[in-house]
Amino acid sequence: MSDREFSVPIGPQHPALKEPASFLFKVDGEVVVNVEPRVGYNHRGIEKAMEARTYIQNLYITERVCGICSNAHQTNYCQTVEEVAGIKAPPRANYIRVFMSELERIHSHLLWVGVAAHEIGFDTLFYYVWRDREVVMDLLEMISGNRVNYAMNTIGGVRRDLSKDNFPKYHKMLDILGERTKFYANIATHEKTILDRAAGVGYLSKADMKRLCGVGPNARASGVDYDVRRDLPHLAYDEVPFNVITNDGGDVLANVLVRIGETIESVGMCKYVLDHLPEGPIREKFSPMAKVPEGEAVGYFEAQRGELVHYFQSRGDVKPYRYKIRAPTLGNIPSLAEKLKGGYIADIPIVLAGIDPCFSCTDRMVFVDEDKEKTWEMDGEQLRRYGIEWYK
Amino acid sequence: MILEELSSVVQVLIFPGVLFILAYSLFCNWVSRKWTARLQNRQGPLHTGWQGILQPLADVIKLLAKEDITPGGVTKLVFSASPLIIFAIPLAALFLIPIQSITNLWSYTPIASFEGDLIFVLFLLSIVILAIFLAGWSSANAFGAVGATRVAFMMLSYEIPLALAAIGPAIMAQSLRILNIVNWEAGSWNRFLAAPGIFGIALGGVMLVGFAIYIICLLAELEMRPFDMSEAETEIVHGWQVEFSGKKLALLTLGHNIKIVLASALLTSLYLGGASGPWPIPPIVWFVLKTVFCVLILSNLSALFARFRIDQLLKGAWKYLVPLSVLQMMAVVALTGLM
């Protein structure tokens, strides 16, 4: 480290971060030379807690992995367990799951646009976007009774049905959302100060993005044409038509455009689901104390922030033997660190926010030995033995 | 004799001196907050007094009651002195602005006035920036240091156009005394109304350009959006202010409010004819109306944009603002020569 460089810690507590994570920046004047990300401040032992609870209880734990992508985690949990249990959710349930997921995507992306505006100091846009986001929050509340944790899924289907009487109202609200999102797309592409702050900032090429395994809108903003909804179809995504939005910009502006584009697509998908909702039951029976046969499964789901991976292993008990969650933010951190290098301090918040980080999803038990520069993970059994050794 | 002395004490301490300026700066802060809030689809302050008009005062009182922490490792003298300087200097500079005479209801002699006081006010403004830089630098904090360097960089960008735009009216009034400039402006407006001519319109156009330059520079000077990168909360956590708390922060807040009043008072004095106006209404009313108008312009602009980066400000200022202000001054010189 030369004399001209000095360290600026961003986090664990910092206004640019909505959740604790630490980024140690080496800066030379205003230019970022290096960045050392460090996650793990928000570890809550979710996976371990899941091993001690029944499948129905775990519905509510998975939902609380994250406040924003609660439905994504829960839906993925359900489809993963269903795969091992051999239950097939009825088509109507799958459509309703798609509907909820897309509504959640709309609310999450609008939230993100507001946060991004706030990070570049454009509070007026922030307030306007969040006002319009209330429409989708109201819609979610009308359907599920909750604004955030909807508790819509259960193993084998969904818990609440959509009532046909309300469809005109839903259509009307979705129309408002689509219109307003198009208005914001127009602002994002024409407002001079936004372009000055977003275009060319935090650039990462397509090749680098592929090498660093970015996922979700972050990867699509660098031109990586990959979307779990299309490439690994689950739920009813192979029946609902939609376009995968990509952008070759690779910068923050591309991130904004991809997310706004996806929001508009999601509005269209929701409207399609309302028009083509199949009749039939909404769930298969799954008893609260039912045992799931031995087996394992990996569930993929396109959460708002990218590809969400759940791994589930059953040993024929009423509880899961092992449950592992890989949240999209973890996949995006290597590319984030690369994006930050060479930029300005002023761009740190917007680039950080650019991947829509969610650390409560991400933080898992990872061990880092700083002297040996080694990183490893421990499973439950190893950790137990480690603990016994430690206190001997 | 005693009456005269008494009146000058009242002038300095109460009206239009310290007390009035403090109260008025809090009022302007409320106007700015309320206006910005309504623009952003919010309510703004609501509960303290009518429409939350006492909220800025309540904020200051709250800060005064808070614990005043001096972190280890700071340069103590500079750290404690700089809030005082930042508070006192804009207050002192406002004594030079013509607001209202207390002996004559229809006159607006400032508390103190001398030839060259315009230069002195500009000098005081620079001293405030220097104090801000020292405050950030002395606070032994990475964010403070980054904020302080940003303040210094910003000063490099807007100082020259600010001075040039302020000198334009002085050239026309052929005086560096703010009172004379105000008098000249009031007179020239009346002369223009009596005999409108092409020169008058041209002069008005040039003045408008100067007004725009001045407003942009003042936005940077006041660290308001889109030029608030020195305290950008999402980047460097309020920058140079990060370590200040309690009474010191209260002084900084008050100092900032007074600086906004000073800036709008300078704008009105140099470009809008100061406290002068049609007869039956006393100067103080004109002063309040015009400064509130300037505060509204400033808060309107700051609600309208995203924050620029420091390099974008420097580039923009030297590429556009400085040449424009030089051209504007040349046009002023040419027009005064022709008239």
XYZ file of all heavy atoms in Angstrom, chain A residues 48 51 321-322 365 367 376-385:
151
model
N -29.870 -24.162 9.974
C -29.855 -25.064 11.133
C -31.247 -25.123 11.752
O -31.725 -26.193 12.136
C -28.830 -24.553 12.145
C -28.481 -25.538 13.216
C -27.688 -26.693 12.661
C -27.632 -27.833 13.682
N -27.228 -29.084 13.031
N -33.591 -27.498 10.110
C -33.410 -28.931 10.357
C -34.153 -29.382 11.608
O -34.335 -30.570 11.829
C -31.913 -29.245 10.503
C -31.174 -29.108 9.194
C -29.669 -29.102 9.389
O -29.199 -29.574 10.432
O -28.973 -28.613 8.483
N -33.337 -33.221 6.514
C -32.042 -33.568 7.100
C -31.056 -32.434 6.881
O -30.274 -32.087 7.757
C -31.508 -34.855 6.487
C -30.133 -35.218 7.011
C -29.984 -35.724 8.300
C -28.992 -35.020 6.240
C -28.739 -36.028 8.805
C -27.740 -35.317 6.734
C -27.618 -35.821 8.019
O -26.384 -36.108 8.514
N -31.076 -31.872 5.681
C -30.192 -30.749 5.379
C -30.921 -29.826 4.413
O -31.573 -30.292 3.474
C -28.898 -31.265 4.735
C -27.936 -30.177 4.300
C -27.151 -29.614 5.477
N -26.142 -28.649 5.026
C -26.318 -27.332 5.038
N -27.455 -26.800 5.418
N -25.342 -26.530 4.648
N -22.743 -19.847 6.848
C -21.564 -20.167 7.628
C -20.401 -20.452 6.693
O -20.312 -21.499 6.072
C -21.857 -21.401 8.479
C -20.998 -21.497 9.697
S -21.257 -20.107 10.776
C -21.639 -20.938 12.286
N -16.125 -20.214 6.718
C -14.988 -19.968 7.600
C -13.807 -19.470 6.787
O -13.500 -20.005 5.732
C -14.604 -21.251 8.335
C -15.688 -21.716 9.235
C -16.713 -22.519 8.755
C -15.728 -21.294 10.542
C -17.731 -22.923 9.575
C -16.751 -21.704 11.374
C -17.758 -22.519 10.895
N -13.361 -22.293 3.832
C -14.060 -23.558 3.725
C -15.411 -23.462 4.410
O -15.679 -22.519 5.141
C -13.227 -24.692 4.320
C -13.104 -24.659 5.805
C -13.881 -25.344 6.697
C -12.189 -23.898 6.590
N -13.495 -25.069 7.979
C -12.462 -24.192 7.951
C -11.151 -23.022 6.284
C -11.725 -23.618 8.993
C -10.436 -22.456 7.323
C -10.720 -22.758 8.657
N -16.237 -24.424 4.140
C -17.536 -24.464 4.798
C -17.614 -25.710 5.655
O -16.939 -26.694 5.400
C -18.655 -24.495 3.763
C -18.966 -23.131 3.220
C -20.107 -23.165 2.231
O -21.148 -23.712 2.601
O -19.924 -22.658 1.119
N -18.441 -25.676 6.680
C -18.598 -26.845 7.537
C -20.040 -27.281 7.504
O -20.942 -26.451 7.491
C -18.237 -26.480 8.973
C -16.779 -26.481 9.269
S -16.564 -26.262 11.020
C -14.806 -26.174 11.123
N -20.254 -28.567 7.502
C -21.645 -29.002 7.659
C -21.939 -29.163 9.146
O -21.082 -28.942 9.999
C -21.920 -30.274 6.850
C -21.117 -31.448 7.344
O -20.689 -31.421 8.515
O -20.912 -32.377 6.553
N -23.162 -29.532 9.446
C -23.590 -29.569 10.836
C -22.738 -30.479 11.695
O -22.324 -30.107 12.798
N -22.433 -31.659 11.179
C -21.705 -32.649 11.974
C -20.296 -32.159 12.291
O -19.841 -32.198 13.436
C -21.670 -33.978 11.189
C -21.048 -35.141 11.943
C -21.718 -35.407 13.294
O -22.914 -35.054 13.441
O -21.047 -35.931 14.179
N -19.620 -31.646 11.273
C -18.265 -31.114 11.477
C -18.284 -29.993 12.497
O -17.435 -29.905 13.370
C -17.725 -30.568 10.156
C -17.149 -31.621 9.249
C -16.769 -30.992 7.920
O -17.472 -30.127 7.412
N -15.661 -31.438 7.358
N -19.307 -29.124 12.360
C -19.392 -27.965 13.229
C -19.596 -28.413 14.673
O -19.004 -27.867 15.594
C -20.557 -27.090 12.769
C -20.578 -25.687 13.336
C -19.371 -24.912 12.847
C -21.838 -24.969 12.896
N -20.405 -29.447 14.838
C -20.673 -29.968 16.177
C -19.372 -30.466 16.792
O -19.019 -30.145 17.918
C -21.693 -31.099 16.079
C -22.318 -31.493 17.409
C -23.339 -32.596 17.208
N -22.727 -33.813 16.684
C -22.120 -34.743 17.449
N -22.070 -34.576 18.752
N -21.583 -35.816 16.899
N -18.638 -31.274 15.983
C -17.378 -31.825 16.480
C -16.376 -30.701 16.770
O -15.684 -30.710 17.776
C -16.792 -32.787 15.441
C -17.056 -34.230 15.832
C -16.330 -35.175 14.916
N -17.231 -35.728 13.923
C -16.976 -35.772 12.627
N -15.850 -35.280 12.142
N -17.837 -36.301 11.804
